[in-house]
Amino acid sequence: MNQLHVDNLFSDALRAELVKRVEKITPARAKKRTWLWTGTAVFAGVGVLGGVGAAAAGLFSTPGSTQLTPLASPVTETHTGTATVQLGPAPEDATGIELQLNCLTPGRFEFEDGANTICDHDDIGTRQDWTGYSIPLKAGKESITITTSPGAIWKLTAQYVNTKITDWAVNADGETYGAENENGSPDMVAVIATNGTRGYAYRTDLEDANGTTASKTFKSPADALAWQEAIKGKDFVIPVYDSTGKTVVGEFVISPGTGTIGVPGEPAPECVGVPPTLGPGQTYPCPGLSPIETGIPAIPVPSN
Amino acid sequence: MAEGREHDKSFWESVKPLGSGRTLKGMGSIETGDEGLWHQSLLGQGDAFGTLYDRHRDRVFRHAYRLCGNHHDAEDIMAASFLELWRRRKHVRVVEGSILPWLLVTTTNVARNRARAAARYQRLLNSLPRNQETGDPAADPSRRYQNQLDQDLAQALATLTPEDLHLVSLIVFEEHTITAAAAVLGLTPAAAKSRIHRARQRLRAALDRDASQHPPTAPTPVLEGERP
């Protein structure tokens, strides 16, 4: 027996632990995959109007936008390990529960539908420790259970809300216009032009600029990243029309120059942690910001 | 002393290449340099970090043993060093394509601040399984003698300042170049050169002092690389 060898049993267990630790930390840019607003509010595109943030702020009312109304005082509780937060009876017109989870220690935190977020040491006390999640209300649903790794501490703020998606409007040419929402995109998407004027950009123009069109040719995330690299530094200028779709009122610029996550530059605070590429079905969660603030939108990536 | 030679051979054998059966599978390109593996680790590829562990485990363990002179503690220090490497991954500096210098500096720091590192990973370290000790080392005269020498060296090393210890560890024991040691420690090569000279003198003095307390009957194996 050679004394100066690492104990194999110890070494193998350590190796497994190290591999596990590495694998649970996905890179920063893909970390907050759980930045989801499933069911009730889905945002696509960037700089386009609509969505909870803008509507809740009372800035404007755009056809197709989501109107979110808080219905009860939020419940905030701090727990260690797996625990259930009681919300009390749901108000009559509640349609969903809005959740905000902060991890106070490193660990893995799982919502009831299996969506989860992982916090490591570096996230604690930063914006990265925050996860927003919104779930549709089910009858009799009065509690939220968060399942965690042992000893992990978390703070949950939960609130019954009413969300309502308004209908898109239709112009004289039969084109729909308004905010993107979970029903998809109208023919003309509400945007704020660089001159500050609110108007609409054609969806097809936006798709050409933001990679949606290109993404149809992508076969892998690598293709998406290569495309993103190729358009780096280029501006896309798109005309902005009034609701008739004929009169130009300004222009909309999608510029990858600032704030794109994955290339140098700080992202807008609202968009910290947003991955540059999204999984199938995921949408870009930086509502209500101009493209100047957010840079190029996340690119939808096809499965496989 | 056949057993002793066998012992030293493994003590000094060079680091094994990739562990068998633990190559990266199913990847488009296989990167085997530390830099590539480290990059892949940062992308969340556990296998890549596992390969770095396989590659450097023995050297880190030997260095830890040199610093503490105790087998069990050396395993804990080695484990904490890899855990610290990962925890402080944003600060890691890959020098001359290798992660080992950084890892050895981390090992030295962990060994010097054993109480703090141990507290951080105590529960994990205690939970890792170990084989039962085979036999009492004190019962074997040659091993008892070896233990004494190892502890003498550990004590001498403990008298060095952290900076001297880093330099001696990297340049004397692990045979890195002065340039590499300087790069990982944030020194200019010229400063590292003059400091290593003084550090060697201080280590020699510490060993002499030690030797006067425990007269050796043989050269210290860790410095000579061979046992009588």
Side-chain angles (χ1 to χ4, degrees), chain B residues 91-103 105 163 166-167 170-171 176-193:
Chain B
H91 306 278
V92 168
R93 230 176 279 162
V94 178
V95 172
E96 295 180 354
S98 173
I99 203 153
L100 186 59
W102 184 270
L103 199 43
V105 168
E163 192 168 69
H166 285 314
L167 286 166
L170 290 168
I171 298 167
H176 286 289
T177 61
I178 288 177
T179 317
V184 78
L185 295 172
L187 299 170
T188 64
K193 195 173 177 182

Side-chain angles (χ1 to χ4, degrees), chain A residues 183-200:
Chain A
N183 298 322
S185 300
D187 296 326
M188 296 195 301
V189 179
V191 297
I192 298 178
T194 51
N195 59 14
T197 309
R198 288 175 199 147
Y200 301 89

Side-chain angles (χ1 to χ4, degrees), chain A residues 55-112:
Chain A
L59 294 175
F60 53 85
S61 179
T62 303
S65 66
T66 302
Q67 289 180 345
L68 183 147
T69 317
L71 296 177
S73 304
V75 174
T76 300
E77 289 185 15
T78 301
H79 289 279
T80 303
T82 299
T84 299
V85 175
Q86 297 295 337
L87 305 180
E92 220 169 81
D93 46 353
T95 58
I97 303 173
E98 198 180 59
L99 306 173
Q100 296 185 59
L101 182 88
N102 292 84
C103 23
L104 305 182
T105 62
R108 183 176 186 277
F109 305 83
E110 189 174 314
F111 294 96
E112 287 163 0

Side-chain angles (χ1 to χ4, degrees), chain A residues 37-63:
Chain A
W37 294 86
T38 58
T40 57
V42 177
F43 310 104
V46 60
V48 291
L49 295 185
V52 171
L59 294 175
F60 53 85
S61 179
T62 303

Side-chain angles (χ1 to χ4, degrees), chain B residues 89-126:
Chain B
R89 58 191 173 280
K90 287 178 184 166
H91 306 278
V92 168
R93 230 176 279 162
V94 178
V95 172
E96 295 180 354
S98 173
I99 203 153
L100 186 59
W102 184 270
L103 199 43
L104 292 170
V105 168
T106 303
T107 307
T108 306
N109 289 334
V110 168
R112 289 184 70 95
N113 301 297
R114 210 176 308 164
R116 195 167 56 185
R120 175 168 276 137
Y121 299 114
Q122 194 68 61
R123 199 186 297 174
L124 170 64
L125 294 177
N126 289 345

